[in-house]
Amino acid sequence: MMKQKFAINGMSCNHCVATVEKTINELPGIEKVKVNLKKNQGSVKFDETQTSAQEIADKVSAAGYETEVI
Ligand SMILES: [Cu+2]
């Protein structure tokens, strides 16, 4: 299990937070997702044999919220 932080841009309300959380949870091996609207950050605990930090960042970016691993 691995924990990774992300910088997530473009979130303006709790609906965006919910969308980002749902998007991440669609990936396999996701254990826990926490998104902080004020900080524009997210923290994800995941099984690194099933997905990767880059895959998570790419999926959220594709959903419209430019995301990078930090
Ligand atoms: Cu929103």
Side-chain angles (χ1 to χ4, degrees):
M1 209 61 74
M2 182 178 171
K3 203 175 171 188
Q4 179 68 55
K5 270 190 174 185
F6 298 88
I8 307 167
N9 294 295
M11 297 188 295
S12 56
C13 69
N14 283 323
H15 183 79
C16 299
V17 171
T19 302
V20 169
E21 288 177 342
K22 183 175 173 288
T23 299
I24 296 171
N25 275 311
E26 284 168 2
L27 285 163
I30 303 296
E31 174 88 358
K32 193 177 181 186
V33 182
K34 266 183 110 173
V35 175
N36 188 310
L37 178 62
K38 279 186 186 166
K39 286 183 171 175
N40 289 307
Q41 280 184 10
S43 169
V44 184
K45 203 172 158 190
F46 63 95
D47 180 349
E48 67 269 40
T49 66
Q50 294 189 63
T51 188
S52 68
Q54 194 56 54
E55 195 171 14
I56 293 166
D58 288 349
K59 188 164 168 68
V60 179
S61 294
Y65 304 94
E66 190 68 42
T67 296
E68 60 183 52
V69 177
I70 53 173

